[in-house]
Amino acid sequence: MNWTDERVEKLKKLWSEGLSASQIAAQLGGVSRNAVIGKVHRLSLPGRAKAGGTTTAARPKRTTSAPRAPNYAARVTTRTVTRTAGATVLKEEIEVDLVADQDLEHAPNVVVPMSRRLGLTELSERTCKWPIGDPLKEEFHFCGNDSPESSPYCSYHTRLAYQPSGERRRMR
């Protein structure tokens, strides 16, 4: 199906009237909803008008934020977030609670094995595939210690990866 000038004009007209992409596809015939959405995007058409006849420009802008319930703690910081609504992008400031860093207690008598620091291409079926470090950094590597046939990890990392449900509950 080719987009002729006549079909494009009809698409623009129906889009400005507020019809959905599915409705436009049905009226044009021979195109899918996704084809209509793609063409609207390529034509950079503004967000479609609401079916009730009101436009987004006619809607009054909100100047104050909604009142908060009195039992909420004071917010620490605000952050601008961009999100889409239809074919338009909205920027709105949201308030975010920051969580304080928690001190981790290290368990006594834990022996961490030395890793062999293998790269991805050096791994085999019998080596531990536990990733160590940030994959975007040069120091990233895999443990590489011997692993049993039934596990992708060495005995130490198997205990970390497959914790019994009782231990997980205690850690919460």
Side-chain angles (χ1 to χ4, degrees):
M1 195 283 333
N2 290 330
W3 286 100
T4 63
D5 291 339
E6 178 183 295
R7 289 172 69 88
V8 171
E9 289 306 314
K10 188 170 182 180
L11 167 70
K12 289 178 181 179
K13 178 181 154 288
L14 295 173
W15 185 258
S16 66
E17 290 174 4
L19 270 65
S20 70
S22 298
Q23 293 167 328
I24 295 171
Q27 285 197 17
L28 289 175
V31 293
S32 68
R33 171 186 163 272
N34 285 339
V36 170
I37 292 170
K39 190 63 175 177
V40 165
H41 179 72
R42 288 189 300 277
L43 292 171
S44 300
L45 296 179
R48 71 182 167 93
K50 301 296 180 213
T54 60
T55 61
T56 54
R59 208 181 302 157
K61 301 255 184 208
R62 230 176 50 177
T63 56
T64 61
S65 62
R68 280 187 264 159
N71 60 349
Y72 288 125
R75 303 293 183 185
V76 177
T77 185
T78 60
R79 194 172 100 182
T80 301
V81 175
T82 304
R83 62 186 177 102
T84 58
T88 60
V89 176
L90 305 174
K91 282 195 176 187
E92 101 183 30
E93 287 192 9
I94 62 169
E95 295 174 346
V96 180
D97 284 330
L98 298 178
V99 178
D101 290 334
Q102 298 177 351
D103 292 328
L104 299 176
E105 294 180 25
H106 296 285
N109 301 328
V110 174
V111 178
V112 178
M114 295 291 291
S115 73
R116 291 176 49 201
R117 301 181 61 87
L118 297 181
L120 181 63
T121 58
E122 300 168 303
L123 295 175
S124 71
E125 292 179 12
R126 303 285 307 210
T127 56
C128 178
K129 294 158 186 74
W130 188 268
I132 299 173
D134 183 355
L136 300 176
K137 302 240 170 122
E138 191 67 32
E139 306 86 44
F140 177 74
H141 61 279
F142 293 90
C143 172
N145 287 327
D146 293 331
S147 65
E149 281 186 35
S150 61
S151 175
Y153 306 122
C154 64
S155 58
Y156 174 76
H157 289 123
T158 298
R159 285 193 303 270
L160 289 178
Y162 307 109
Q163 295 179 4
S165 61
E167 284 185 38
R168 284 191 301 243
R169 285 192 192 107
R170 273 182 268 150
M171 290 177 75
R172 288 185 196 168

